[in-house]
C-alpha cells in the first residue's frame, strides 16, 4: 500500500521555483525551421529572377514576337522560340498519347484486377523504371531504339499510314516520334503511380454498389471508379505532362536537334530544353545567350503552369500526393 | 428484370477483353525496364574490370582507361549537394509538420511541389549565372549547389510526410513531462521518424545521382582527379554522355560500363529503401 | 554508431579528401572539337614532361571556347574560327590567337559499297543548300560516272553546336557560292537550310556512321579514325584533291598570315592545295591573371610549338611551317604573367 509522504513546505517552494522549459530554445528552433521552409519560396524567386535578369535585353528587343517567330539564326542574331515551343509541345503530346492509355490501364490493373501477390512486385518494377537516369535511357535510345525504329517500325508505319501528313517524308531514325516515345517511357511511372493513388482513394462503396446492381468487372471500373476519379486522373495526366515538358538529356540524344516546324513525326525536331543543353555554353554573342535565357524562361513558365494545374486538380480530388523519387 | 443472354455474354466478353488489355498494358509498362537493363548488362558487363574502377580516362584513340575519377567525382558532388539539401530540406519539413498554420503550410507545400517540377536544366542555368559567372570558374561547388537545389523540395516533402506519421501521443507525452517543444521535436519526433527521413534522403540522392543536365554548365567535367572543389570535376552521368555521343567504339563500350555501374548503384539504393520501409499491413490495394 | 553518424562521417571525410590542398595545378581549357585528338595527346604527353601541372580540356565546340574565355571561366580557349573584332572588343583584356595546327574539313558519307567520290564546289553548295536532294542527282552523277549512286535521299548532317569546323566549312561555302553567302553566311553557328544536327565532330561522325545515305563534314582525323569514306574536292586550280597532310600544308603555304594570326585558308590558289582547310588557335590572354598558372601555360605553349608539332603528322594534322612557328614562338614570349 502506497504511503503518501507529506512534502515539507521548503521543498514544495523549491519545486515551484524550478526553471520552466526554455522559451528561447523553442522560439529559436521555430524560426530556424521557418527560415528553412521559406527556402522554397526563396528558390522560386531566385530562379525567376536569374532567368528574367539574364534575358532582359532579349525580352526588350524581341517582345512577344519571340514566341511567334520561327527563325533561329545566330549569324543574323534573329531569334525566335516557335520551333522549340512546337517541338516541346508535339513531343510531349506524342508522349502523352502513348503513355496515358498504358498508364491508366496499368493503374486499373493494379488496383482492380491483379491478384494481390503480384501487385507490390509490379509497383516496385515501375519505380525502378522511374529511377533510370535520363542519360542512360538516351544511350539506349541512340544505340538500340533508333536503329530498331529506323529499320522496322517507321517503315511499317509509313507503309500503312504514309498517306497522312503525320507519317510522311524521309525516315532518319532521329525524329519527333522517337523523342515522343522516349519521353513516354520516362513519364509512364509517374502517371501510373499517381493514377494508382487516385484509384485507391475511390471509396469501396462505389464499387460495391455497382456490383450489387449486376455490373461486370469492366463496367464497375468504367462507371463507378473511372468517372468518380476523372478529375484526379486528369491531374495525373497533367503531372505527367509537366514532367514531359522538362525532359532534357534523353530527348536531346534522339530528336535530331533541328529547329524546324514540320508536320511529319518522322522529321527531326528540337525542344526548349534541348536547345539550352546544346547551345548554352557556346553562345558567343550576348544576345544569343540572352535568347537562350529567354528560352529557359519560357520553359519555366510552361512547366510551372502545367504543375500548378496538376496540383489544383489533384488537391480538389483530395488525394494524398506522394513525393518520392518517382516524381 | 431479365437481361438477354446475348447481351450478357457480350458484356462479359467486353469485361474480359478490358481485363486482358489492362494486363497487356502493365506488361508494356514494365517492358522498357527489362529491355534497357538487359541491354546494359549485355553491353556493359564485360567492360567492367579492375581497370575501369581504378584508371583515369585515356586520350582519344588509346584503348582502355577507366572512369574512376567520374565515380569518385559523383560521390563528391552528392556530398556537397547533401550539405545543402539535407539540413534545409529536413528542417523545412519539420516546420511544415510541426508548426505553422494550415493555410500557410499548404501554400508552402504547393510551392515545394511546383519546384519539384522545375526541369533540372533550369537549375544548371540558374547556378551558372549565380556562381560560375560570378566566380569565373566552373567548379564542384557549382555542381553540388545545383544538385542541392534539386534535393531541397524533394527532401522537404518526404520528411514532412514521415514526421506527420509520428503519433501525436508521443509529442503530447513528452510535453506533459515538461520537455521543451524543440527538444521534443528533435529528440522524440525526429528520432522516431529517423528511418523514414533517411530513406527520403537516400531516394533524393539516388535521384540526383543520375542528373546530367544541371552539371553541363556547372561541374563541367574533368579528365583527371580533382582535389580542389573550386575546379571542374568529373561526374559519372556527364562522362557517360560525353562518351555516348562520341564516334569511338572504345568510348561507347566504356559508356555502357559506366551506365551499368550507375544504374546498379541507383537500383541498390532503391532496393535498400524498399527493404527498410517494407509494409507489414495485410490489406493492400 | 547510428546511421546518422556514419553518413555524417563519410560525407565529411570525402570532403576532406576533396578539399585537401594538392601540389598539382590544374589549368582548364575549353573549345574546339576539331583539334581534340591532338590536344588530348599533347596534354597526356606533357603530363610526363611536367607532372606538376595537368591540363583539363573539355571539347564543347569553338563557340564554347570563345564564350568561356570571354567570360574568363577557363584559363585558355580553343577555336577553329578566329574571334570576330566585335568579340575581341568585348574581352576584358587583349587576347592572342596562337595557331597550333591545321586540319581539313572533309566530306564524309555513308553509302553502300563505300564508293570513292569526287565533288566540286557547285555540288557541295547544292547539297548543303538543299537544292541537290538525291544521291543520283545529275550533278553528282556527272562528277562520278563510275560510282553506283543510289536513288535515295541525301541526309545532310551538320553541327548543332557552335563550331570552328562549321566556321571553316561556311567560310569555304561563302567564298564559292554567292547564294550561300547571302542566305546563310559564315559563322560558328548558322541557320542551316537543311540537315540534322550532331553535337561535336563526334556527334556528326556518329550520326553519319549510323545513317545510310548520310553526308556531312567532319575533321579529317575523325573520318579516318572511324574508317568513313571521304570525298576528293575540286580546288580553285581545277584539280581534284584528296585531303592529306601534303595538300593541307600546300594550302597553308599560300595563306597570307597577318600579324595577329587570324587568317583564312579556304579556297586558296595552288595546284595541290586542298580547298577546305583551316587552322586552329588557342585563345590566350596577353596578361595572365594568375602568375603561377601563366608561367606553366607559357611553358606548355613553348613545348607544344616545338615538340608538340612533331606529333601532328601522326594524327593527320599539318604542323605549322617553320617560319610561322618562329613567329608563334615570338608571340608566346609576349604573354605576360
Amino acid at each position: 500500500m502506497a504511503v503518501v509522504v507529506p512534502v515539507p513546505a521548503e521543498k514544495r517552494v523549491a519545486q515551484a521555483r524550478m526553471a520552466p522549459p526554455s522559451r528561447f530554445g523553442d522560439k529559436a528552433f521555430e524560426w530556424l525551421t521557418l527560415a528553412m521552409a521559406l527556402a522554397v519560396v526563396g528558390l522560386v524567386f531566385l530562379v525567376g529572377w536569374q532567368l528574367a535578369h539574364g534575358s532582359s535585353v532579349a525580352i526588350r528587343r524581341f517582345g512577344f514576337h519571340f514566341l511567334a517567330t520561327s527563325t533561329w539564326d545566330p549569324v543574323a542574331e534573329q531569334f525566335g522560340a516557335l520551333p522549340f515551343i512546337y517541338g516541346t509541345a508535339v513531343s510531349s503530346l506524342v508522349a502523352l498519347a502513348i503513355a496515358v492509355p498504358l498508364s491508366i490501364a496499368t493503374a486499373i490493373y493494379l488496383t482492380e484486377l491483379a491478384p494481390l501477390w503480384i501487385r507490390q512486385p509490379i509497383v516496385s518494377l515501375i519505380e525502378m523504371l522511374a529511377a533510370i537516369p535520363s542519360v542512360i535511357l538516351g544511350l539506349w535510345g541512340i544505340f538500340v531504339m533508333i536503329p530498331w525504329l529506323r529499320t522496322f517500325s517507321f517503315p511499317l508505319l509509313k507503309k500503312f499510314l504514309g498517306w497522312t501528313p503525320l507519317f510522311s517524308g524521309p525516315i532518319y531514325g532521329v525524329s519527333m516520334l522517337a523523342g515522343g516515345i522516349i519521353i513516354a517511357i520516362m513519364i509512364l511511372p509517374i502517371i501510373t503511380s499517381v493514377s494508382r493513388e487516385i484509384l485507391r482513394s475511390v471509396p469501396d462503396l462505389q464499387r460495391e454498389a455497382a456490383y450489387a446492381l449486376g455490373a461486370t468487372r469492366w463496367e464497375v471500373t468504367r462507371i463507378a471508379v473511372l468517372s468518380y476519379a476523372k478529375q484526379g486522373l486528369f491531374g495525373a495526366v497533367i503531372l505527367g505532362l509537366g514532367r514531359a515538358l522538362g525532359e532534357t538529356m534523353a530527348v536531346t540524344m534522339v530528336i535530331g536537334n533541328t529547329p524546324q516546324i514540320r508536320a511529319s513525326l518522322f522529321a527531326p525536331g528540337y525542344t526548349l530544353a534541348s536547345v539550352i543543353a546544346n547551345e548554352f555554353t557556346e553562345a558567343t554573342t550576348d544576345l544569343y545567350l540572352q535568347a537562350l535565357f529567354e528560352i529557359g524562361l519560357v520553359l519555366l513558365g510552361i512547366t510551372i503552369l502545367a504543375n500548378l494545374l496538376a496540383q489544383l486538380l489533384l488537391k480538389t480530388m483530395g488525394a494524398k500526393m506522394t513525393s518520392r523519387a518517382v516524381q | 428484370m431479365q437481361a438477354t443472354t446475348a447481351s450478357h455474354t457480350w458484356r462479359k466478353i467486353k469485361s474480359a477483353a478490358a481485363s486482358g488489355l489492362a494486363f497487356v498494358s502493365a506488361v508494356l509498362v514494365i517492358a522498357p525496364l527489362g529491355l534497357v537493363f538487359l541491354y546494359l548488362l549485355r553491353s556493359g558487363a564485360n567492360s567492367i574490370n579492375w581497370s575501369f574502377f581504378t584508371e583515369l580516362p585515356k586520350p582519344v584513340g588509346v584503348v582502355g582507361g577507366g572512369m574512376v575519377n567520374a565515380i569518385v567525382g559523383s560521390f563528391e558532388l552528392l556530398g556537397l549537394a547533401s550539405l545543402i539539401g539535407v539540413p534545409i530540406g529536413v528542417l523545412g519539413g519539420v516546420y511544415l509538420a510541426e508548426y505553422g498554420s494550415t493555410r500557410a503550410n499548404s501554400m508552402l507545400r504547393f510551392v515545394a511541389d511546383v519546384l519539384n517540377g522545375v526541369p533540372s536544366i533550369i537549375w544548371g542555368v540558374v547556378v551558372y549565372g549565380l556562381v560560375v559567372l560570378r566566380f569565373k570558374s566552373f567548379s564542384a561547388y557549382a555542381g553540388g549547389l545545383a544538385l542541392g537545389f534539386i534535393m531541397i523540395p524533394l527532401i522537404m516533402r518526404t520528411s514532412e510526410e514521415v514526421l506527420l506519421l509520428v503519433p501525436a501521443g508521443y509529442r503530447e507525452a513528452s510535453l506533459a513531462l515538461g520537455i521543451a517543444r524543440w527538444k521534443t521535436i528533435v529528440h522524440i519526433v525526429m528520432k522516431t521518424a529517423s528511418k523514414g527521413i533517411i530513406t527520403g534522403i537516400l531516394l533524393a540522392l539516388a535521384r540526383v545521382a543520375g542528373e546530367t543536365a544541371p552539371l553541363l554548365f556547372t561541374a563541367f567535367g574533368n579528365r583527371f582527379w580533382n582535389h580542389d572543389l573550386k575546379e571542374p570535376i568529373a561526374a559519372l552521368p556527364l562522362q557517360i554522355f560525353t562518351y555516348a555521343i562520341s564516334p569511338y567504339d572504345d568510348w561507347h563500350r566504356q559508356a555502357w560500363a559506366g551506365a551499368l555501374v550507375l544504374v546498379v548503384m541507383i537500383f541498390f539504393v532503391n532496393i535498400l529503401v524498399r527493404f527498410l520501409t517494407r509494409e507489414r499491413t495485410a490489406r493492400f490495394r | 554508431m547510428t546511421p546518422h553518424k556514419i553518413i555524417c562521417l563519410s560525407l565529411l571525410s570525402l570532403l576532406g579528401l576533396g578539399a585537401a590542398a594538392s601540389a598539382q595545378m590544374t589549368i582548364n581549357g575549353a573549345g574546339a572539337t576539331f583539334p581534340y585528338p591532338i590536344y588530348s595527346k599533347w596534354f597526356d604527353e606533357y603530363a610526363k614532361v611536367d607532372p606538376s601541372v595537368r591540363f583539363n580540356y573539355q571539347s564543347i565546340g569553338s563557340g564554347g571556347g570563345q564564350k568561356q574565355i570571354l567570360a574568363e571561366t577557363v584559363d585558355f580557349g580553343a577555336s577553329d574560327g578566329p574571334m570576330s573584332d566585335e568579340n575581341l572588343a568585348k574581352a576584358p583584356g587583349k587576347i592572342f590567337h596562337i595557331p597550333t595546327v591545321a586540319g581539313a574539313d572533309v566530306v564524309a558519307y555513308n553509302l553502300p559499297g563505300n564508293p570513292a567520290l569526287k565533288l566540286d564546289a557547285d555540288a557541295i553548295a547544292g547539297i548543303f543548300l538543299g537544292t541537290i536532294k538525291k544521291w543520283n542527282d545529275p550533278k553528282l552523277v556527272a562528277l562520278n560516272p563510275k560510282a553506283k549512286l543510289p536513288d535515295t535521299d541525301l541526309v545532310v548532317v551538320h553541327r548543332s553546336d557552335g563550331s570552328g569546323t562549321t566556321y571553316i566549312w561556311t567560310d569555304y561555302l561563302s567564298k564559292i557560292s554567292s547564294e550561300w553567302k547571302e542566305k546563310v553566311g559564315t559563322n560558328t553557328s548558322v541557320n542551316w537550310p537543311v540537315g540534322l544536327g550532331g553535337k561535336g565532330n563526334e556527334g556528326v561522325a556518329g550520326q553519319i556512321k549510323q545513317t545510310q545515305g548520310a553526308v556531312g563534314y567532319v575533321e579529317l582525323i575523325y573520318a579516318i579514325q572511324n574508317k568513313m569514306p571521304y570525298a576528293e574536292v575540286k580546288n580553285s586550280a581545277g584539280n581534284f584533291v584528296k585531303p592529306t597532310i601534303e595538300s593541307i600544308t600546300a594550302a597553308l603555304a599560300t595563306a597570307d598570315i597577318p600579324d595577329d594570326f587570324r587568317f583564312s585558308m579556304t579556297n586558296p590558289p595552288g595546284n595541290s592545295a586542298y580547298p577546305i582547310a583551316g587552322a586552329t588557335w588557342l585563345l590566350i590572354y596577353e596578361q595572365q591573371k594568375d602568375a603561377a598558372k601563366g608561367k606553366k601555360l607559357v611553358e606548355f605553349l613553348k613545348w607544344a610549338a616545338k615538340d608538340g608539332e612533331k606529333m601532328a603528322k601522326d594524327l593527320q594534322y599539318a604542323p605549322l611551317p617553320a617560319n610561322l612557328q618562329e613567329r608563334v614562338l615570338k608571340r608566346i614570349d609576349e604573354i605576360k604573367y
Side-chain angles (χ1 to χ4, degrees):
Chain A
M1 195 178 77
V3 175
V4 176
V5 178
V7 179
E10 317 85 59
K11 219 172 176 186
R12 248 182 290 154
V13 169
Q15 275 175 354
R17 272 206 218 108
M18 232 166 59
S22 153
R23 280 292 177 84
F24 170 72
D26 274 348
K27 270 294 161 193
F29 191 69
E30 189 175 345
W31 282 115
L32 174 65
T33 52
L34 174 61
M36 300 289 112
L38 286 176
V40 287
V41 179
L43 280 178
V44 171
F45 279 118
L46 178 67
V47 175
W49 188 82
Q50 274 287 326
L51 289 177
H53 178 71
S55 58
S56 48
V57 174
I59 294 179
R60 255 177 284 141
R61 168 87 76 94
F62 298 122
F64 279 111
H65 278 295
F66 190 69
L67 298 173
T69 321
S70 44
T71 332
W72 186 258
D73 191 343
V75 183
E77 296 216 303
Q78 280 292 86
F79 298 106
L82 196 57
F84 312 107
I85 298 178
Y86 177 78
T88 303
V90 170
S91 57
S92 303
L93 282 174
V94 169
L96 282 180
I98 300 173
V100 167
L102 284 177
S103 296
I104 297 191
T106 306
I108 294 176
Y109 178 73
L110 286 171
T111 51
E112 313 284 326
L113 305 169
L116 287 169
W117 60 270
I118 212 179
R119 292 185 190 189
Q120 187 53 51
I122 295 189
V123 168
S124 308
L125 285 174
I126 295 179
E127 286 188 11
M128 301 266 238
L129 182 63
I132 298 183
S134 185
V135 68
I136 293 182
L137 212 49
L139 187 62
W140 177 80
I142 300 182
F143 292 112
V144 183
M145 191 184 79
I146 297 262
W148 182 76
L149 287 176
R150 189 176 44 228
T151 340
F152 299 114
S153 319
F154 283 4
L156 213 62
L157 276 173
K158 188 161 182 176
K159 203 161 86 159
F160 291 115
L161 295 170
W163 46 272
T164 54
L166 276 182
F167 295 104
S168 57
I171 295 179
Y172 304 107
V174 291
S175 56
M176 193 74 88
L177 186 52
I181 295 177
I182 217 141
I183 299 179
I185 297 180
M186 305 208 71
I187 62 177
L188 281 172
I190 187 174
I191 303 184
T192 309
S193 95
V194 175
S195 303
R196 198 173 133 252
E197 296 285 331
I198 302 278
L199 292 177
R200 273 163 76 162
S201 73
V202 171
D204 276 337
L205 210 51
Q206 292 277 103
R207 298 180 179 86
E208 290 166 8
Y211 275 123
L213 287 170
T216 62
R217 207 150 205 190
W218 168 235
E219 282 161 358
V220 168
T221 308
R222 182 166 53 92
I223 301 171
V225 179
L226 285 181
S227 25
Y228 185 93
K230 250 195 323 241
Q231 188 178 357
L233 289 177
F234 193 56
V237 170
I238 302 290
L239 202 60
L241 174 66
R243 175 80 201 268
L245 294 169
E247 251 318 306
T248 315
M249 301 314 294
V251 180
T252 309
M253 289 154 101
V254 303
I255 201 166
N257 299 329
T258 315
Q260 62 184 10
I261 299 181
R262 296 266 183 285
S264 169
L265 291 177
F266 290 145
Y270 218 163
T271 61
L272 293 164
S274 299
V275 67
I276 298 176
N278 276 327
E279 304 188 12
F280 195 76
T281 41
E282 308 150 354
T284 35
T285 59
D286 280 338
L287 194 59
Y288 194 174
L289 188 63
Q290 296 249 343
L292 285 171
F293 264 99
E294 203 176 339
I295 300 251
L297 202 54
V298 172
L299 180 60
L300 183 70
I302 56 178
T303 43
I304 287 191
L305 274 176
N307 277 288
L308 266 169
L309 182 60
Q311 298 296 337
L312 280 169
L313 287 167
L314 290 169
K315 250 174 144 71
T316 36
M317 180 74 200
K320 187 165 88 86
M321 270 291 301
T322 52
S323 53
R324 275 188 263 278
V326 181
Q327 257 184 0
Chain B
M1 192 178 71
Q2 200 166 20
T4 65
T5 329
S7 90
H8 192 211
T9 319
W10 174 230
R11 285 164 57 211
K12 274 167 89 169
I13 293 176
K14 268 203 293 193
S15 181
S19 301
L21 274 178
F23 176 70
V24 168
S25 301
V27 170
L28 281 177
V29 167
I30 313 178
L33 174 68
L35 288 173
V36 173
F37 197 59
L38 281 176
Y39 200 81
L40 272 179
L41 272 177
R42 223 175 55 185
S43 315
N46 41 13
S47 305
I48 299 202
N49 44 29
W50 191 239
S51 69
F52 182 81
F53 284 105
T54 51
E55 283 184 36
L56 290 174
K58 291 240 159 62
V60 169
V62 179
V63 172
M67 285 200 194
V68 61
N69 60 337
I71 297 176
V72 172
S74 273
F75 277 113
E76 288 184 50
L77 283 172
L78 289 179
L80 284 173
S82 308
L83 276 185
I84 304 167
V86 171
I88 300 183
V90 172
L91 289 175
V94 166
Y95 182 83
L96 287 177
E98 306 289 323
Y99 298 104
S101 68
T102 332
R103 272 193 72 191
N105 281 15
S106 65
M107 285 252 62
L108 283 174
R109 240 172 254 130
F110 200 65
V111 172
D113 283 334
V114 167
L115 268 182
N116 273 329
V118 168
S120 58
I121 194 166
I122 301 279
W123 291 116
V125 172
V126 167
V127 174
Y128 178 80
L130 196 61
V131 176
V132 177
L133 277 185
R134 187 153 305 160
F135 293 99
K136 304 223 191 268
S137 162
F138 294 102
S139 60
Y141 285 129
L145 188 63
L147 294 182
F149 281 165
I150 300 177
M151 284 173 80
I152 292 176
L154 222 49
I155 297 184
M156 202 181 283
R157 292 292 272 118
T158 53
S159 304
E160 185 212 348
E161 257 181 67
V162 164
L163 287 166
L164 285 174
L165 286 176
V166 174
Y170 285 39
R171 296 179 183 82
E172 289 163 10
S174 169
L175 291 170
L177 285 170
I179 301 178
R181 185 154 187 207
W182 72 272
K183 283 190 188 166
T184 305
I185 296 175
V186 173
H187 295 298
I188 309 284
V189 181
M190 282 174 74
K191 196 142 190 206
T192 314
S194 62
K195 197 167 82 171
I197 295 180
I198 291 186
T199 57
I201 296 175
L202 285 175
L203 284 173
L205 281 174
R207 158 81 190 273
V208 295
E211 288 288 344
T212 318
L215 297 178
L216 287 171
F217 346 114
T218 49
F220 197 53
N222 196 328
R223 295 188 65 76
F224 304 100
W225 282 115
N226 177 7
H227 293 301
D228 182 358
L229 295 174
K230 291 199 294 293
E231 294 284 334
I233 193 170
L236 199 48
L238 261 185
Q239 196 80 306
I240 295 173
F241 179 61
T242 314
Y243 279 15
I245 56 172
S246 76
Y248 312 115
D249 285 330
D250 191 57
W251 280 18
H252 290 169
R253 191 182 53 78
Q254 289 190 40
W256 283 115
L260 185 58
V261 169
L262 183 59
V263 160
V264 164
M265 289 196 317
I266 294 180
F267 277 8
F268 175 69
V269 170
N270 275 286
I271 294 175
L272 181 68
V273 163
R274 204 174 316 285
F275 177 72
L276 289 174
T277 56
R278 52 189 182 280
E279 278 181 25
R280 300 172 202 272
T281 49
R283 189 179 189 286
F284 187 86
R285 172 150 239 137
Chain C
M1 273 219 281
T2 66
H4 273 132
K5 291 207 188 116
I6 298 180
I7 294 179
C8 287
L9 278 176
S10 4
L11 285 174
L12 280 171
S13 52
L14 267 177
L15 274 184
L17 265 181
S22 173
Q24 218 174 18
M25 182 191 295
T26 308
I27 297 186
N28 293 302
T33 57
F34 183 87
Y36 186 46
I38 191 168
Y39 286 174
S40 64
K41 178 106 183 140
W42 280 356
F43 298 138
D44 207 54
E45 291 293 317
Y46 193 70
K48 299 179 198 151
V49 169
D50 183 352
S52 72
V53 65
R54 288 173 321 209
F55 286 82
N56 174 27
Y57 181 80
Q58 299 293 324
S59 69
I60 58 176
S62 297
Q66 292 183 19
K67 153 103 169 292
Q68 298 309 324
I69 191 70
L70 279 176
E72 296 181 280
T73 52
V74 291
D75 300 307
F76 66 92
S79 169
D80 328 313
M83 288 179 73
S84 64
D85 291 326
E86 223 184 296
N87 277 337
L88 281 174
K90 276 193 287 189
K94 183 157 179 202
I95 294 184
F96 285 152
H97 283 72
I98 310 274
T100 49
V101 291
D105 276 7
V106 307
V107 186
Y109 47 88
N110 181 340
L111 282 177
N114 286 345
L117 294 181
K118 289 184 160 66
L119 294 170
D120 67 3
D122 239 2
I124 297 180
I127 292 175
F128 281 85
L129 278 169
T131 49
I132 297 182
K133 296 197 215 287
K134 282 193 183 278
W135 278 107
N136 60 352
D137 186 285
K139 283 203 185 145
L140 298 179
V141 175
L143 288 164
N144 300 281
K146 289 208 212 93
K148 284 196 241 13
L149 292 170
D151 180 29
T152 48
D153 292 325
L154 282 157
V155 180
V156 175
V157 186
H158 56 74
R159 294 285 289 271
S160 63
D161 48 330
S163 151
T165 315
T166 299
Y167 185 89
I168 298 172
W169 188 253
T170 51
D171 185 44
Y172 171 73
L173 283 173
S174 294
K175 281 190 186 164
I176 53 106
S177 162
S178 48
E179 197 185 341
W180 181 274
K181 190 172 174 158
E182 213 183 286
K183 273 201 188 146
V184 188
T186 305
N187 204 328
T188 54
S189 188
V190 299
N191 192 9
W192 295 94
V194 288
L196 299 175
K199 197 164 163 57
N201 265 299
E202 310 96 342
V204 173
Q207 194 72 260
I208 297 177
K209 263 181 103 167
Q210 292 186 356
T211 315
Q212 276 259 339
V215 61
Y217 60 93
V218 289
E219 215 284 302
L220 178 59
I221 185 63
Y222 285 90
I224 293 179
Q225 273 181 350
N226 286 279
K227 307 192 184 46
M228 296 196 293
Y230 47 96
E232 286 182 20
V233 180
K234 196 176 192 185
N235 65 10
S236 57
N239 303 322
F240 284 100
V241 183
K242 207 159 166 70
T244 59
I245 297 180
E246 290 74 33
S247 54
I248 301 171
T249 315
L252 196 49
T254 56
D256 168 39
I257 302 178
D259 187 56
D260 66 355
F261 295 125
R262 292 189 293 159
F263 63 92
S264 150
M265 49 191 268
T266 50
N267 208 31
N271 283 329
S272 50
Y274 181 72
I276 325 176
T280 186
W281 293 267
L282 287 174
L283 304 168
I284 319 259
Y285 279 104
E286 177 184 20
Q287 176 62 51
Q288 289 290 306
K289 278 187 300 182
D290 180 324
K293 276 194 182 177
K295 179 158 181 283
K296 291 286 179 189
L297 190 53
V298 167
E299 281 169 15
F300 167 76
L301 286 173
K302 291 201 175 144
W303 175 89
K306 287 185 283 208
D307 296 314
E309 294 282 316
K310 300 192 190 119
M311 300 177 199
K313 284 204 172 148
D314 286 330
L315 288 170
Q316 307 299 325
Y317 293 93
L320 301 177
N323 56 346
L324 188 51
Q325 273 186 31
E326 276 193 37
R327 288 171 67 183
V328 168
L329 278 167
K330 279 213 203 96
R331 179 56 45 84
I332 296 174
D333 279 329
E334 291 173 30
I335 299 176
K336 305 196 253 274
Y337 50 86

